[in-house]
Amino acid sequence: MSLSNAPLAIHGSLRRRICIAVNWHATIPLAGAIRFGLNVTLFALGMLACTALPVVADDRPNIVLLMGDDHGWDETGYNGHPHLKTPVLDQMAATGLRLDRFYAAHPTCSPTRGSVLTGRHPNRYGTFTPNYSIRPEEITIADVLSDAGYVCGHFGKWHVGPVKADSPTSPGAMGFDTWLSHDNFFELDPVLSRDGGPPKKIEGESSQILIDAAKPFLASAKKSGKPSLTVIWFGSPHEPYSGLPEDLALYDNLPAEYAKKSFRLTSNETGSPTTRSLRDVLRERYAEITAMDRAIGDLRDWLTQNGLRDNTLIWYCGDNGTPGDGIITSPLRGQKGNHYEGGVRVPGIIEWPARIKTHASTDYNSVTSDILPTICDIANVDVPDRPLDGISLMPILEGRLGTRSQPIAFWSFDTKNVYKGQPYLTQQQQTGTTPLVKLMKGIPTRNFVNYFHPDTTDADYGGTRVWLANHYKLIVTGLGDDQALELYNLRNDPSEADNLAEPRRKIADEMLGELTQWQTSVLSSLTGSDYDSSSGEIRD
């Protein structure tokens, strides 16, 4: 986003800019403030934002981004799951654009969610694992679309910072006009915060609660003549599991052999770990997925009834692969938390009846980091002027298939190397408020962390990292003499069984060089270089 767009950027970012200037900048040391190019023009620019822009009706599409929590690639009927009933997702896959090789940017949730918001790999801003927050300087899809006249709402799981009103990384601080959200995940009868206010319990099935909350937001946007961005991040099917009786009944007859296995997960009664029959666990997990599927269908019906369906783009995906308690039927290697296909490959579907008039499917590699640049392309707005890791998928939407121009990178940063000398935000700003069943360190809420990373070392290049080209996937672990390479041709070997690193050593080495060069760029971002005032970013 260039300075030529400043009037729109100021208007669309007023709440966030005031939040950052007042609640965050004052807490960091002067040296840090100078380093990140902060100056008093923030306050002067903020004053200009009080002038409202005119409402202009246009034909740009509404955008609805849906995300399941821990919903892996095989857990849909259309991908051949032997038990699950997902009629709505199946219909979407049969009538819209099915992304058969769609990936989460990370094998865990918070980092992937950051990639959706920013179009950037989460290591660029220190969102390394769950409960690491985003950084306030990041520019989100809500910021960009708000600047362009969209109204933006968030509903459900946030998990990149607290959702309370005074958090500098709440949905409101990151560009959303309204939100009904939770710091983390939730079950039946969730406790949610509306616009950062005191958390309140809402009785009912959680996926449907989010859809019901999104409807009046969408109706209000339609009445105003503005296009809308609606982000709905479900709490399902993350454990601990629970389901409505009618959904549980659908899975009463799962194979008896599943009862011979057990799994350790959270107890809904105590919030602590317990061991249960895998058959019972799967019954509840599948019930949650079916309820989420039904809620998505309700949203689609509502859009149709209100004349919004045709020009609304709906994009569904998961945030990481299936966890160990649900991976029993997957043909893919790995699970949530690792970088094999089972850990990062997720369902991906796009519906947009006005533009996608006939069903299509593609094996083009795509990733959650592609969402921001694609939406910017659709809305005809510039992407943020800083390093991105996603690309626009408009060529696919327009039927111009080909090979991906830019490989996809995955990287689990070795958190032993996180520099913890200076927290990015204060403890109070990172303290969550919305309770959930699963206890962590004995408490039912979640707190977040993020740290300045002023310099980089060779050790920072460690952790499992992946370079995914069109056919080949390189997985690298270790450093120096302990470095190990795995190379798979996913088109010929989807189960990642045949390591080609030695017989295809030239290919592996070339990919490793590209991967290392990319890591250098990411580490530069991690030090804060993207936030320097000389970059021309209006926020800095």
Side-chain angles (χ1 to χ4, degrees):
M1 188 185 307
S2 66
L3 283 174
S4 63
N5 293 328
L8 285 177
I10 296 166
H11 173 77
S13 309
L14 174 60
R15 178 165 54 244
R16 178 179 172 192
R17 295 171 68 72
I18 292 176
C19 177
I20 293 174
V22 176
N23 294 332
W24 178 62
H25 291 162
T27 69
I28 66 174
L30 178 60
I34 294 173
R35 177 164 189 238
F36 284 91
L38 308 177
N39 54 67
V40 295
T41 58
L42 280 169
F43 299 97
L45 291 172
M47 294 300 294
L48 294 176
C50 296
T51 302
L53 296 180
V55 174
V56 179
D58 57 44
D59 60 357
R60 288 177 297 174
N62 299 303
I63 308 295
V64 178
L65 302 180
L66 307 172
M67 182 180 283
D69 193 5
D70 283 6
H71 190 202
W73 176 85
D74 79 304
E75 291 185 303
T76 62
Y78 75 84
N79 275 332
H81 197 282
H83 312 304
L84 268 163
K85 294 173 174 56
T86 56
V88 175
L89 291 177
D90 296 350
Q91 184 186 46
M92 291 173 65
T95 58
L97 174 62
R98 194 180 76 215
L99 304 171
D100 288 336
R101 292 184 181 273
F102 191 74
Y103 292 87
H106 195 273
T108 62
C109 54
S110 296
T112 293
R113 291 165 194 277
S115 76
V116 174
L117 293 170
T118 66
R120 287 153 56 86
H121 192 278
N123 287 1
R124 290 191 184 274
Y125 40 88
T127 309
F128 299 127
T129 68
N131 302 320
Y132 273 72
S133 74
I134 201 169
R135 289 177 175 176
E137 300 97 339
E138 285 299 309
I139 299 172
T140 71
I141 185 62
D143 287 321
V144 175
L145 291 187
S146 178
D147 295 347
Y150 275 68
V151 290
C152 305
H154 179 272
F155 304 89
K157 179 172 179 174
W158 182 239
H159 212 198
V160 290
V163 300
K164 61 188 181 184
D166 61 351
S167 164
T169 55
S170 72
M174 304 307 290
F176 290 91
D177 299 295
T178 188
W179 66 103
L180 180 69
S181 308
H182 196 289
D183 297 331
N184 201 340
F185 57 85
F186 39 88
E187 316 304 325
L188 294 173
D189 305 329
V191 179
L192 304 173
S193 168
R194 184 177 295 279
D195 296 336
K200 294 183 178 180
K201 182 177 180 179
I202 303 175
E203 294 187 356
E205 202 286 316
S206 66
S207 294
Q208 188 62 51
I209 286 170
L210 302 184
I211 297 301
D212 289 342
K215 291 174 183 177
F217 167 76
L218 286 159
S220 177
K222 178 185 178 182
K223 185 177 180 180
S224 74
K226 292 185 177 183
S228 59
L229 167 69
T230 309
V231 175
I232 302 174
W233 286 350
F234 299 105
S236 293
H238 197 292
E239 68 92 24
Y241 306 118
S242 56
L244 299 177
E246 57 266 34
D247 295 323
L248 292 168
L250 296 173
Y251 302 104
D252 283 343
N253 298 314
L254 291 176
E257 64 189 78
Y258 294 167
K260 299 176 183 177
K261 301 180 181 180
S262 61
F263 202 88
R264 192 165 177 80
L265 75 171
T266 305
S267 165
N268 268 307
E269 286 71 36
T270 68
S272 299
T274 188
T275 300
R276 300 181 59 211
S277 159
L278 184 58
R279 188 173 185 268
D280 292 341
V281 169
L282 290 173
R283 176 173 175 261
E284 294 171 358
R285 177 178 177 84
Y286 295 163
E288 285 202 19
I289 293 174
T290 291
M292 178 177 68
D293 182 85
R294 181 176 59 249
I296 295 171
D298 182 63
L299 173 65
R300 292 164 79 239
D301 290 344
W302 185 91
L303 291 170
T304 299
Q305 294 161 7
N306 288 272
L308 292 171
R309 175 81 180 280
D310 190 55
N311 200 31
T312 295
L313 182 149
I314 302 177
W315 194 328
Y316 178 80
C317 66
D319 67 345
N320 50 247
T322 304
D325 55 59
I327 202 72
I328 191 167
T329 62
S330 177
L332 303 178
R333 180 179 179 180
Q335 62 185 51
K336 173 184 177 178
N338 66 49
H339 291 80
Y340 295 112
E341 293 292 279
V344 290
R345 199 160 152 195
V346 295
I349 310 171
I350 301 175
E351 274 196 324
W352 185 9
R355 293 289 295 273
I356 304 174
K357 297 183 180 298
T358 58
H359 161 67
S361 61
T362 177
D363 62 0
Y364 185 102
N365 292 336
S366 51
V367 64
T368 49
S369 302
D370 295 336
I371 291 176
L372 180 144
T374 303
I375 299 305
C376 287
D377 205 350
I378 290 170
N380 195 28
V381 296
D382 292 337
V383 297
D385 183 18
R386 55 183 50 174
L388 299 185
D389 299 293
I391 63 174
S392 172
L393 301 183
M394 275 300 288
I396 299 178
L397 295 176
E398 295 173 345
R400 296 184 283 113
L401 299 179
T403 57
R404 185 182 177 92
S405 61
Q406 175 180 312
I408 297 171
F410 308 89
W411 182 13
S412 288
F413 192 85
D414 187 348
T415 54
K416 293 194 300 293
N417 295 322
V418 173
Y419 172 71
K420 298 182 179 180
Q422 185 178 350
Y424 215 87
L425 298 165
T426 68
Q427 182 177 347
Q428 188 281 329
Q429 290 169 326
Q430 294 278 45
T431 300
T433 59
T434 51
L436 59 152
V437 171
K438 186 174 184 177
L439 301 177
M440 180 172 286
K441 297 181 179 179
I443 62 174
T445 52
R446 295 293 182 266
N447 300 325
F448 295 84
V449 295
N450 198 303
Y451 299 94
F452 284 95
H453 199 92
D455 300 296
T456 62
T457 66
D458 289 344
D460 289 332
Y461 286 80
T464 302
R465 55 266 192 210
V466 175
W467 199 242
L468 175 63
N470 289 302
H471 288 78
Y472 287 103
K473 177 179 179 180
L474 178 72
I475 304 176
V476 186
T477 55
L479 288 169
D481 294 339
D482 294 326
Q483 182 170 275
L485 305 181
E486 298 174 57
L487 181 68
Y488 302 103
N489 185 327
L490 293 181
R491 306 307 167 106
N492 298 334
D493 178 26
S495 61
E496 298 172 285
D498 186 12
N499 184 0
L500 302 175
E502 287 306 318
R504 301 287 188 273
R505 187 71 194 200
K506 182 178 180 181
I507 293 174
D509 286 343
E510 289 176 352
M511 294 179 70
L512 177 59
E514 295 172 354
L515 171 58
T516 303
Q517 185 176 11
W518 172 81
Q519 285 185 281
T520 300
S521 168
V522 172
L523 290 173
S524 175
S525 297
L526 181 59
T527 66
S529 65
D530 299 342
Y531 308 142
D532 188 274
S533 59
S534 64
S535 69
E537 292 294 347
I538 189 65
R539 295 200 194 304
D540 303 329

